[in-house]
């Protein structure tokens, strides 16, 4: 009877094990997943306890919040008290939909306004700062540099490979890829998304996932590494720059600009003043030397010869 029981137990474990292993979130390695029923896997985001839709990208706001959440089981995380007042990663306030709240504040009660990409677009102030709206990031420009040792690819092939990458890996509809230009080894990509229907991913989320992939810190499941190939040849991306353009210009005050202009004007005035002073001194020395020489000649003319 015992051998039969062992066989039955082994079969049960064999069936249950794949179901347990499949309870992961392919698009978010920070999601905490649990099997809450036969064939039903529920994933929630660490730090906010929001349910995660693993069939698409997780909003950037939720991702940043997850990054700031200490998880001893996974890796070392920056402690909450270690936050610095910078424009880098911070613990954001998110709406239930995953979008950033228009006003963000840190633990020192310093606040600022952000765009839909979570980037600061105003000067920092106190908690009395008011942000009337969440301004949309409409355009995103990316500049990539691939390995210089790689051969130059054909332009249409590069555009096709990158379009396929953004569509399959990041769930971005090709209509939002406005242009791809290639001048070896530089690749330029422009994403344009004036409006975002609820069912489409946001280009700011796509840019965040892509940046993490290029920096070898993928948000996808740990076994999912970024690979880009053009007609079977690897396209090794070495550098990435991302630029965000909002529907409305940023609202930084002119204090910093005025200070910079004032500093430049001061340097120019001082340089000009020193130059003029040097010229005047040189002219004075030249005039003094000439007068001295002229005076000596006059004395020689007036002095009678001893012969």
């Amino acid at each position: 009877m015992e051998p039969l029981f062992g066989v039955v137990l082994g079969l049960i474990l064999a069936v249950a094990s794949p179901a347990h292993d499949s309870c992961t979130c392919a698009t978010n390695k920070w999601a905490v997943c649990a099997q809450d029923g036969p064939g039903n896997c529920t994933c929630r985001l660490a730090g906010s306890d929001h349910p995660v839709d693993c069939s698409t990208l997780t909003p950037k706001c939720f991702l940043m919040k997850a990054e700031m959440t200490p998880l001893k089981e996974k890796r070392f995380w920056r402690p909450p008290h270690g936050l610095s007042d910078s424009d880098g990663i911070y613990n954001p306030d998110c709406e239930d939909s995953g979008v950033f709240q228009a006003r963000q504040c840190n633990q020192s009660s310093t606040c600022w306004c952000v765009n839909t990409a979570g980037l600061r677009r105003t000067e920092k102030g106190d908690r009395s700062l008011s942000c009337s709206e969440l301004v949309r990031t409409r355009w995103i420009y990316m500049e990539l540099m691939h390995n210089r040792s790689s051969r130059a690819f054909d332009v249409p092939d590069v555009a096709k490979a990158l379009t396929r990458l953004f569509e399959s890996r990041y769930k971005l509809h090709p209509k939002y890829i406005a242009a791809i230009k290639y001048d070896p080894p530089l690749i330029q990509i422009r994403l344009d998304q004036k409006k975002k229907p609820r069912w489409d991913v946001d280009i700011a989320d796509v840019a965040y996932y892509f940046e993490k992939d290029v920096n070898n810190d993928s948000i996808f499941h740990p076994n999912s590494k970024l690979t880009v190939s053009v007609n079977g040849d690897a396209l090794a991306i070495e550098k990435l720059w991302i630029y965000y353009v909002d529907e409305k210009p940023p609202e930084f005050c002119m204090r910093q600009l005025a200070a910079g202009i004032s500093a430049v004007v001061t340097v120019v005035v001082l340089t000009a003043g020193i130059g003029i002073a040097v010229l005047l001194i040189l002219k004075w020395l030249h005039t003094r030397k000439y007068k001295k020489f002229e005076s000596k000649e006059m004395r020689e003319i007036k002095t009678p010869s001893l012969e």
Side-chain angles (χ1 to χ4, degrees):
M1 189 68 181
E2 290 183 359
L4 180 60
F5 176 76
V7 172
V8 173
L9 180 61
L11 290 174
I12 293 174
L13 292 175
V15 173
S17 179
H20 176 74
D21 292 340
S22 64
C23 190
T24 57
C25 187
T27 58
N28 192 334
K29 66 180 181 181
W30 294 315
V32 179
C33 303
Q35 197 87 29
D36 56 2
N40 189 20
C41 180
T42 301
C43 298
R44 295 186 178 276
L45 190 64
S48 62
D49 201 36
H50 282 280
V52 177
D53 182 1
C54 297
S55 66
T56 187
L57 304 188
T58 305
K60 181 180 177 181
C61 190
F62 285 163
L63 294 174
M64 289 176 61
K65 182 172 285 293
E67 286 186 84
M68 297 303 297
T69 302
L71 291 178
K72 297 180 181 178
E73 297 83 0
K74 298 203 172 184
R75 51 179 281 190
F76 290 116
W77 295 83
R78 185 182 295 110
H81 60 270
L83 284 173
S84 60
D85 188 13
S86 65
D87 291 333
I89 187 171
Y90 58 92
N91 192 351
D93 294 320
C94 311
E95 302 289 355
D96 291 338
S97 61
V99 301
F100 289 89
Q101 291 185 9
R103 191 187 74 164
Q104 298 291 327
C105 301
N106 62 14
Q107 293 180 342
S108 63
S109 299
T110 300
C111 301
W112 59 93
C113 301
V114 300
N115 56 15
T116 52
L119 303 179
R120 184 166 65 92
R121 50 176 284 110
T122 65
E123 295 291 349
K124 294 181 178 180
D126 55 24
R127 289 192 176 273
S128 64
L129 177 68
S130 176
C131 303
S132 59
E133 62 176 328
L134 181 68
V135 178
R136 176 159 189 79
T137 296
R138 174 182 171 181
W139 295 337
I140 292 182
Y141 294 89
M142 301 181 184
E143 292 186 356
L144 324 176
M145 294 283 287
H146 70 68
N147 194 315
R148 291 180 179 273
S149 62
S150 302
R151 69 175 183 85
F153 303 97
D154 292 334
V155 176
D157 293 338
V158 172
K160 183 178 179 180
L162 289 174
T163 300
R164 184 169 60 248
L165 170 72
F166 279 92
E167 184 177 9
S168 61
R169 187 174 178 88
Y170 306 111
K171 319 298 181 185
L172 182 68
H173 196 285
K175 67 182 179 181
Y176 298 126
I177 304 176
I180 297 178
K181 295 184 179 181
Y182 178 47
D183 183 15
L186 177 66
I187 303 172
Q188 295 174 299
I189 303 173
R190 194 182 96 173
L191 306 181
D192 188 346
Q193 192 177 49
K194 299 177 183 178
K195 295 182 180 180
K196 189 195 82 65
R198 183 179 55 83
W199 52 86
D200 283 339
V201 298
D202 195 297
I203 57 174
D205 300 337
V206 172
Y208 196 64
Y209 268 81
F210 185 56
E211 183 179 16
K212 289 285 188 179
D213 275 341
V214 173
N215 293 333
N216 294 320
D217 187 22
S218 179
I219 300 172
F220 291 99
H221 193 275
N223 295 328
S224 179
K225 186 177 180 181
L226 176 65
T227 55
V228 186
S229 62
V230 180
N231 291 335
D233 294 329
L235 180 67
I237 301 173
E238 292 186 336
K239 296 180 180 179
L240 171 66
W241 298 270
I242 302 179
Y243 305 93
Y244 299 83
V245 181
D246 294 345
E247 289 180 339
K248 298 181 180 181
E251 301 172 3
F252 294 106
C253 67
M254 299 299 291
R255 286 180 298 178
Q256 293 181 346
L257 180 60
I261 294 176
S262 177
V264 171
V265 170
T266 301
V267 171
V268 171
V269 171
L270 286 175
T271 303
I274 293 173
I276 293 173
V278 170
L279 289 175
L280 291 175
I281 292 173
L282 291 175
K283 184 176 181 181
W284 177 77
L285 290 174
H286 178 75
T287 304
R288 185 168 178 267
K289 183 177 179 181
Y290 176 78
K291 288 184 176 179
K292 186 176 180 182
F293 177 76
E294 186 181 40
S295 177
K296 183 179 178 182
E297 281 190 335
M298 291 296 294
R299 286 199 302 269
E300 288 178 353
I301 294 173
K302 291 180 179 180
T303 302
S305 174
L306 296 176
E307 296 179 356

